[in-house]
Amino acid sequence: MKDSLEQGAFTIIETLLDNGYEAYLVGGCVRDKQLNRRVKDYDIATSALPERVERLFARTIPTGLQHGTVTVVIDGQPYEVTTFRKEDAYENYRRPTEVQYIDSLVEDLQRRDFTMNAMAIDHEGRLLDPFHGMEDLSNGILRCVGEAGERFQEDALRMLRCVRFAAEYQLSIEERTWAALLDNAPLLKHIAMERVRMELERMMSGASPSLALELLASSQLLQHTKIPLLLAGIHKVTKLNNVSQLNAPMECWAYLYLLLEAEQQSAEEELRQLTFSKQQVDAVKLPLAAAEFMASGLGSGSIEELERQWKLAVIQYGKDAMITLAHILTVDPAASESKGLTGSAGRILGQQGLHWLEEIPVDKLSGLHISGGEVISRMAVPAGPWVANVLQQLLREAALGSLANEKDVLLDRAEQIYKEHYSSGT
């Protein structure tokens, strides 16, 4: 039973066949169908030239005409339709300088990266597998099509894809493929940091981030990026197997930078170089900063002191950052030792942190039952920096539970703080 996504793909194939052309499902959709995994998108290879594809369908987008690709839209869903091709010389170890259209499916499949991605399905649902991709999958092997060195030299990004696929599908990288990856690792310097980031993101959100990191560590691939990375030091880290115990990808990143003993500013700079979004950068740097804050304000390290500092950190860095830190310390209580927090303190925070988050009465200024305008009216003095300072003090006291979050109580305390610290003559 075909779902609507797959039905749209076969509608395209049937249209091409009806007009005298060959057409097949190719690439990742074939692999995932054979493994009974969810297919996210369908790609089609055809003997029809791009301009012919454009004429055959009502709605098309010229997404990659220089490489023979037209996006066909069926019922609002895009499908990439690419003409059978072979590629001549490659430019900067990433893109073919020229493609040549051909009329052979097998020759088209031959240019692909790995045997499991070099399979096709015809209009009757029959599998075409000239390079024994299913046999390799059955044997748990990831193997390049043809000579692995040539595949990696054509497109150096394939080395990161190799690691990602091995981790995602729990495959062993075939010996000659692995040897070629090690030999060609320096070519990664030709790949844009954005493309590196995209592959790393997929690894960290995939089935086994820990395995991906272990393969990156053993290959030392990340020592060869265009811009030097702190992440290149993961081969020195001994706890990579813990990463997969975290559920959210950005939690994995924050944990990884803690393991690397990275300063918050250095981690932030690196993530920006990798072209992560501001939101993603914050999701990593704030837990790192919170870990440093936790350690900086502790004396005896008693539970009461840890709770107080934790709640103050919530105000400073936000609940999301503290949830991330709590999850990390639950998995690895010693993770923040590099920030000066003891393993025993980390264990307590891992055990109690989420509970303390739940019981905190208020964690941001917008949650206070009072406004800056009301404070100014009560004092009957001009606004100034003192207003923000007073509100922050009220927030700290309310968060710690020493001050009720009630308007009259807050106004009385605001007046007291103002008189003690900001009124004339003090």
Side-chain angles (χ1 to χ4, degrees):
M1 184 73 178
K2 297 184 181 72
D3 61 22
S4 60
L5 187 64
E6 184 178 5
Q7 186 58 57
F10 275 96
T11 296
I12 294 171
I13 288 174
E14 289 161 7
T15 299
L16 289 164
L17 291 175
D18 289 346
N19 283 272
Y21 300 103
E22 292 182 59
Y24 305 87
L25 295 179
V26 292
C29 65
V30 178
R31 173 197 69 223
D32 289 344
K33 276 181 65 67
Q34 298 307 303
L35 295 173
N36 294 316
R37 292 169 66 111
R38 186 174 74 87
V39 176
K40 299 175 183 176
D41 50 58
Y42 286 86
D43 292 336
I44 296 155
T46 180
S47 59
L49 293 174
E51 54 266 29
R52 185 59 178 152
V53 174
E54 287 184 305
R55 287 199 296 268
L56 285 174
F57 297 95
R59 187 177 173 198
T60 62
I61 305 169
T63 45
L65 288 180
Q66 71 274 27
H67 298 119
T69 299
V70 174
T71 297
V72 176
V73 181
I74 302 290
D75 294 330
Q77 182 66 43
Y79 299 84
E80 287 197 353
V81 180
T82 303
T83 304
F84 297 157
R85 69 190 193 191
K86 65 179 181 180
E87 294 152 350
D88 296 325
Y90 277 70
E91 185 176 44
N92 295 325
Y93 303 95
R94 179 72 184 103
R95 296 285 184 195
T97 55
E98 187 178 347
V99 298
Q100 181 179 339
Y101 299 136
I102 55 178
D103 57 8
S104 167
L105 171 69
V106 173
E107 196 173 353
D108 179 87
L109 295 175
Q110 188 174 342
R111 69 179 173 80
R112 296 174 186 268
D113 50 8
F114 305 104
T115 59
M116 69 174 191
N117 295 332
M119 302 184 289
I121 290 176
D122 70 9
H123 67 289
E124 294 182 350
R126 291 177 299 197
L127 179 68
L128 305 172
D129 186 10
F131 303 103
H132 311 291
M134 276 309 300
E135 181 181 341
D136 282 345
L137 281 173
S138 298
N139 293 328
I141 292 173
L142 180 64
R143 184 196 313 270
C144 278
V145 177
E147 290 296 322
E150 292 180 12
R151 299 291 82 77
F152 293 142
Q153 287 163 28
E154 289 165 351
D155 182 355
L157 188 65
R158 286 172 171 167
M159 293 183 287
L160 286 175
R161 284 167 57 84
C162 182
V163 169
R164 173 165 64 87
F165 284 135
E168 181 65 27
Y169 293 90
Q170 303 289 295
L171 303 173
S172 297
I173 300 173
E174 182 259 341
E175 185 178 346
R176 286 176 297 180
T177 299
W178 181 251
L181 185 149
L182 297 180
D183 287 344
N184 289 281
L187 297 180
L188 197 62
K189 68 177 180 289
H190 297 283
I191 300 302
M193 298 306 288
E194 180 181 13
R195 300 299 300 182
V196 172
R197 185 259 305 161
M198 291 171 70
E199 289 299 322
L200 293 176
E201 271 197 286
R202 290 169 180 168
M203 293 178 201
M204 297 296 262
S205 61
S208 181
S210 293
L211 178 54
L213 290 170
E214 287 164 7
L215 289 169
L216 288 172
S218 57
S219 67
Q220 297 192 32
L221 255 181
L222 295 181
Q223 293 194 12
H224 302 283
T225 52
K226 188 185 292 283
I227 298 172
L229 295 176
L230 296 170
L231 293 171
I234 58 174
H235 63 284
K236 301 173 185 175
V237 174
T238 59
K239 297 179 180 179
L240 294 177
N241 60 314
N242 285 343
V243 174
S244 290
Q245 296 182 47
L246 295 164
N247 295 322
M250 298 319 292
E251 288 183 358
C252 295
W253 284 104
Y255 179 42
L256 189 55
Y257 280 108
L258 278 174
L259 292 178
L260 290 166
E261 302 183 1
E263 296 294 328
Q264 173 225 321
Q265 187 174 352
S266 299
E268 178 180 1
E269 181 180 347
E270 177 157 306
L271 291 167
R272 293 191 187 284
Q273 290 173 330
L274 283 164
T275 72
F276 280 93
S277 69
K278 182 184 183 304
Q279 183 180 7
Q280 290 173 311
V281 173
D282 287 347
V284 174
K285 78 170 187 180
L286 292 178
L288 297 183
E292 293 173 6
F293 177 85
M294 285 298 306
S296 68
L298 294 180
S300 64
S302 66
I303 292 181
E304 293 77 17
E305 193 176 49
L306 283 169
E307 179 180 359
R308 182 180 188 279
Q309 191 72 355
W310 182 264
K311 290 178 178 179
L312 291 176
V314 175
I315 296 170
Q316 185 84 6
Y317 302 104
K319 274 192 171 180
D320 288 343
M322 303 311 289
I323 289 170
T324 292
L325 186 56
H327 287 167
I328 290 171
L329 294 177
T330 300
V331 168
D332 181 7
S336 59
E337 285 183 351
S338 65
K339 302 300 180 188
L341 206 62
T342 65
S344 59
R347 190 171 298 105
I348 293 170
L349 295 175
Q351 293 169 347
Q352 298 293 327
L354 294 178
H355 170 67
W356 290 337
L357 279 171
E358 289 176 3
E359 68 176 22
I360 192 168
V362 57
D363 61 279
K364 56 183 68 173
L365 287 174
S366 60
L368 280 178
H369 294 161
I370 192 175
S371 69
E374 289 170 318
V375 172
I376 293 169
S377 296
R378 176 67 171 262
M379 301 306 115
V381 294
W386 66 269
V387 180
N389 295 335
V390 168
L391 289 173
Q392 283 294 334
Q393 180 63 30
L394 294 176
L395 177 59
R396 285 192 291 271
E397 294 180 15
L400 293 172
S402 61
L403 183 69
N405 188 18
E406 300 171 4
K407 181 178 291 188
D408 291 341
V409 174
L410 292 169
L411 283 172
D412 288 345
R413 177 61 180 141
E415 184 173 0
Q416 184 181 3
I417 295 170
Y418 178 82
K419 288 179 178 177
E420 289 176 355
H421 299 285
Y422 303 104
S423 62
S424 59
T426 62

